[in-house]
Amino acid sequence: MSKFLKNCYANLDAYVPGEQPKDCEYIKLNTNESPFEPSESVIKAVNSDEVKNLRLYSDPTASALKSKISELYGVNSENVYVANGSDDILNFSFMAFSGESKQAVFPEISYGFYKVFANLYGIESEMIPLKEDFSIDYKDYLYKNKFIIIANPNAPTGLTLSVKEIEEIVKTNKNNVVLIDEAYVDFGGESVVPLTKKYDNLLVSMTFSKSRCMAGARLGFAIGNKELIKDLELIKYSTNPYNINRLTLVAGVAALEENDYYMDRCKEIIKNREYTEKELKKLGFTLTDSKTNFVFAQCDFIDGEELYKRLKAKGILVRHFSLEKIKNYNRITIGTIEQMRALINAIKEIKEEVK
Ligand SMILES: *Cc1c(COP(=O)(O)O)cnc(C)c1O
């Protein structure tokens, strides 16, 4: 750290991304990326003359992309905000919506970035414990009078709240923004986007990183009341108006033109998830009822960290969190059926080894 860094940043506890080791070709089941390539339309769009246009700034209004998103979700363009990854939406929301009292509420076990943003902006976080079975009790979030953020489905548990439960939270917190992070909604959850027409305090964020096979493109979007969207635009134009690069903009439009391709890939992931769940249960694992592109699993014959290490030694990466309450679990991304078979075989071998 240099002597020039402001004191308020000296103790930041930054987000630690899942490892991306370069030492060998791993089967990567640790960062919830898609195992599938983007659709043909995306590959074509990015390889087109658009590359030559890189000398020009990208469209700061992102109008073509916003119009595609609004069509798909049945809202107006003015209800859509697009960002350089949905992490940027979370960032701006913590910056803009935590209120004069600078307070935020989110589940104790959830996406690790929430805490990081709260710290970055000096926001006091109330982190509500999950229930014993790792589910969220929606009643804990009623009448909070604070900025609320909930991932639905939640990560790394994969569990969902119902639309009705979220509506209760939104309805009873009318003076604060409720941000629902739907990064995984396409894998079996139900979106609350329709509720954004009814409630001006509900913001929904989504990403192209998981279900749309484009984590490396960095593209996320938010849907909400047009005044909330204007607030996000205000912050964007005060920081980085050209927040999405040209190639990502055309890739996003092209992806939405082949939406069926992505929805079919999601179905494939769900099928592979069901296969993985069935096989892991046979091996003695306990799992949460995941509605995402990962499973969250633990077993009695080996502890979580040891399983993570032994899988890594066999060339398979999964995500282990050292947090006390979940340290016996691993979060395993769902890949292709071949990758999941390789995972199951590796775990069978490990089970033999530790016997
Ligand atoms: C992956 C993820 C994000 C971040 O998505 P990007 O669009 O890649 O920034 C946000 N929230 C949750 C819960 C995630 O798992």
Side-chain angles (χ1 to χ4, degrees), residues 61-77:
T61 70
S63 59
L65 180 58
K66 281 189 176 184
S67 134
K68 280 278 171 218
I69 293 171
S70 59
E71 237 172 78
L72 189 63
Y73 288 89
V75 296
N76 295 321
S77 274

Side-chain angles (χ1 to χ4, degrees), residues 85-87 90 111 114 151 155 181 183-184 207-210 218-220:
S86 63
D87 286 337
L90 307 179
Y111 186 38
Y114 303 156
D181 179 349
Y184 298 105
T207 177
F208 280 65
S209 295
K210 281 62 191 240
R218 312 305 304 128
L219 186 57

Side-chain angles (χ1 to χ4, degrees), residues 58-104:
S58 56
D59 173 14
T61 70
S63 59
L65 180 58
K66 281 189 176 184
S67 134
K68 280 278 171 218
I69 293 171
S70 59
E71 237 172 78
L72 189 63
Y73 288 89
V75 296
N76 295 321
S77 274
E78 63 188 12
N79 301 114
V80 180
Y81 176 76
V82 291
N84 191 323
S86 63
D87 286 337
D88 255 11
I89 297 166
L90 307 179
N91 178 7
F92 286 10
S93 297
F94 273 90
M95 191 192 296
F97 301 132
S98 61
E100 302 313 322
S101 63
K102 295 181 102 181
Q103 290 183 310

